[in-house]
Amino acid sequence: MANITIVGGGTAGWMTAAYLSKKTTWKITVIQSEDIPPIGVGESTLPSVYDFITEIGLTEQDLFDHCDAVRKYTICHRDWHNKQWWHHFCFDESEHKEQIEWMRNYAKPNKKWRHAYHIDANKFGIMLRDKVALPNGVELINKTLTSIDDIEADLIINCAGFSNLFPAKTMVKTNLKNNCAIVAPSYDKMLKYYTETTALSNGWMWNIYLQNRIGNGYVFSKEHQSIESAKAEFIEKCPHQLELAQLRVIEWESQYCENPYEGNILNIGLSAGFIEPLEAQAIWLIQYQIEMLVKLLGKSKVYNKQWLNVVKHIEEFLDLHYTATSKDTSYWKNQVKEVVIKKKPFTIFDQYSYRCLASGYALPCTVQH
């Protein structure tokens, strides 16, 4: 039986602990610091999150009751080019009408991977802790670590986010420019069952609708816009009344760990890198890493190869969004890229996703033979 210690009790930490406690016989310990609040990003999810919760014994109703969740059917992209476009959760354009009808009626689709959720990420972690991990024997230690040298475990999983607690990792910078987000909730009485993104002068804004609030944020490049200028634009352009007392600034480098699994240390979540929030892939990446671990414990070379394939694919797809725009700021490239659709199925964004993006941005599109 493997002895696993997870450092960090945010979304990544409790997703890992909950899944491992249900799917393995490993001894799981979580060490979390009450002095370090979770970042709480990742409110918009992808359809595979439904697989995750059902595999650990939870239901959609649990998300509704404990995470202020609502169903999510699609993503609406506005002003990135010269028209609005939708990235639906389906696999072919012929399914658009069906997907829209489910959304209009707020119906649970009877087909796989056709809906996801908006969730309160902090409450999601708490639910996983209280309803799955702890009842299944996970040991919780509330402690602020200054070193990991005293941890005795077969595997130490770093879910401590951007913490410098762990040894330096080999990080690879992406081609994406965004490295900062300004976030603030609003409490307008409004529900939409899709994620909204809107291109602004030096980045893009999100609006995510939950039962109790709306999550809003502006993702931008500090090299092209100051934080104060971005705050002003965010406040002006956000369609909802922001709670400015709760406004936060989150900074990162758009990068990923080349080898997240080395020796007896595995980095999961933000500690493995962060590209940016676009297309709601953050929680999916955590889920993917956890599921890989169950299959590949002790096989770090295979694990790292799989990870690189996926993260490079995500970077490629997100990078295509920042092209062919009519905006005139220096941030936007104003150059046309070709969208190449590979015949081999993709791990997360499939051929349909690439066709939607090409159509939405009027990009040339070819199929790779």
Side-chain angles (χ1 to χ4, degrees):
M1 181 174 68
N3 180 10
I4 310 291
T5 295
I6 301 166
V7 179
T11 303
W14 288 115
M15 283 182 69
T16 304
Y19 192 85
L20 297 185
S21 72
K22 288 290 288 189
K23 307 295 282 190
T24 75
T25 59
W26 304 343
K27 182 181 183 297
I28 313 297
T29 301
V30 173
I31 302 175
Q32 71 171 15
S33 171
E34 295 180 332
D35 299 327
I36 304 174
I39 291 180
V41 297
E43 294 182 333
S44 184
T45 65
L46 296 180
S48 63
V49 74
Y50 182 77
D51 295 344
F52 181 85
I53 62 169
T54 54
E55 286 183 17
I56 61 174
L58 298 178
T59 66
E60 178 183 74
Q61 194 60 46
D62 288 315
L63 292 178
F64 294 155
D65 293 344
H66 300 286
C67 305
D68 295 317
V70 299
R71 290 192 195 113
K72 167 192 170 184
Y73 298 85
T74 184
I75 302 174
C76 178
H77 294 295
R78 294 193 176 106
D79 297 336
W80 289 71
H81 183 45
N82 57 7
K83 66 178 181 178
Q84 170 180 296
W85 71 280
W86 298 80
H87 187 182
H88 294 302
F89 291 142
C90 54
F91 301 95
D92 187 83
E93 289 80 352
S94 64
E95 299 173 326
H96 284 181
K97 183 177 180 181
E98 179 180 56
Q99 192 73 8
I100 292 170
E101 283 302 307
W102 280 328
M103 181 169 63
R104 284 175 177 167
N105 296 313
Y106 195 57
K108 186 175 181 179
N110 58 9
K111 295 182 179 179
K112 189 175 177 64
W113 293 336
R114 298 289 288 274
H115 75 290
Y117 300 93
H118 293 161
I119 60 173
D120 184 311
N122 289 334
K123 291 183 178 180
F124 184 55
I126 292 170
M127 178 188 71
L128 296 175
R129 179 194 70 192
D130 294 346
K131 291 184 69 66
V132 183
L134 297 184
N136 278 283
V138 172
E139 180 183 2
L140 170 60
I141 299 174
N142 288 302
K143 178 181 179 181
T144 300
L145 291 175
T146 57
S147 170
I148 63 167
D149 294 339
D150 296 331
I151 298 177
E152 294 184 3
D154 298 317
L155 181 68
I156 302 173
I157 302 180
N158 176 14
C159 294
F162 299 135
S163 168
N164 294 321
L165 186 64
F166 283 75
K169 304 178 289 291
T170 303
M171 304 301 288
V172 178
K173 291 189 176 182
T174 75
N175 292 321
L176 299 171
K177 294 178 288 191
N178 293 335
N179 52 19
C180 193
I182 300 171
V183 301
S186 53
Y187 296 94
D188 304 12
K189 298 296 182 181
M190 181 182 297
L191 274 178
K192 293 183 181 180
Y193 306 122
Y194 54 90
T195 298
E196 295 176 308
T197 80
T198 305
L200 299 183
S201 66
N202 293 283
W204 60 276
M205 176 174 59
W206 79 71
N207 306 110
I208 299 171
Y209 300 82
L210 289 84
Q211 293 177 33
N212 65 331
R213 63 173 169 81
I214 304 169
N216 310 286
Y218 177 25
V219 179
F220 65 100
S221 163
K222 290 185 297 179
E223 282 65 50
H224 293 79
Q225 187 173 21
S226 70
I227 291 176
E228 289 306 312
S229 172
K231 284 181 182 178
E233 183 175 7
F234 179 41
I235 293 169
E236 177 189 357
K237 297 294 179 65
C238 184
H240 309 293
Q241 185 66 41
L242 297 173
E243 289 292 323
L244 298 181
Q246 299 181 53
L247 187 144
R248 294 185 295 148
V249 177
I250 302 172
E251 301 181 57
W252 70 88
E253 292 295 329
S254 183
Q255 58 186 6
Y256 56 84
C257 188
E258 188 172 31
N259 297 300
Y261 191 176
E262 290 190 290
N264 74 327
I265 294 177
L266 170 61
N267 299 281
I268 290 181
L270 296 178
S271 64
F274 186 65
I275 300 176
E276 70 154 83
L278 186 61
E279 293 286 354
Q281 29 70 40
I283 285 182
W284 180 87
L285 265 178
I286 296 171
Q287 178 182 347
Y288 182 76
Q289 283 198 272
I290 298 167
E291 293 173 350
M292 272 207 302
L293 172 60
V294 174
K295 299 174 183 176
L296 298 173
L297 178 67
K299 300 177 180 179
S300 58
K301 289 185 178 180
V302 180
Y303 187 104
N304 291 334
K305 183 178 180 180
Q306 292 286 95
W307 160 260
L308 284 177
N309 287 339
V310 169
V311 79
K312 287 178 180 179
H313 158 59
I314 292 173
E315 178 191 2
E316 173 195 78
F317 183 68
L318 300 191
D319 187 50
L320 284 171
H321 288 65
Y322 297 96
T323 187
T325 181
S326 58
K327 297 182 183 301
D328 58 3
T329 63
S330 61
Y331 170 91
W332 295 99
K333 294 179 180 179
N334 284 311
Q335 67 180 38
V336 174
K337 291 184 180 180
E338 183 179 34
V339 175
V340 178
I341 298 177
K342 301 172 184 177
K343 284 196 170 183
K344 182 179 178 180
F346 294 109
T347 304
I348 177 171
F349 300 114
D350 63 6
Q351 295 184 14
Y352 165 80
S353 297
Y354 280 77
R355 291 196 302 270
C356 282
L357 187 147
S359 175
Y361 301 140
L363 295 174
C365 184
T366 61
V367 177
Q368 185 184 75
H369 296 287

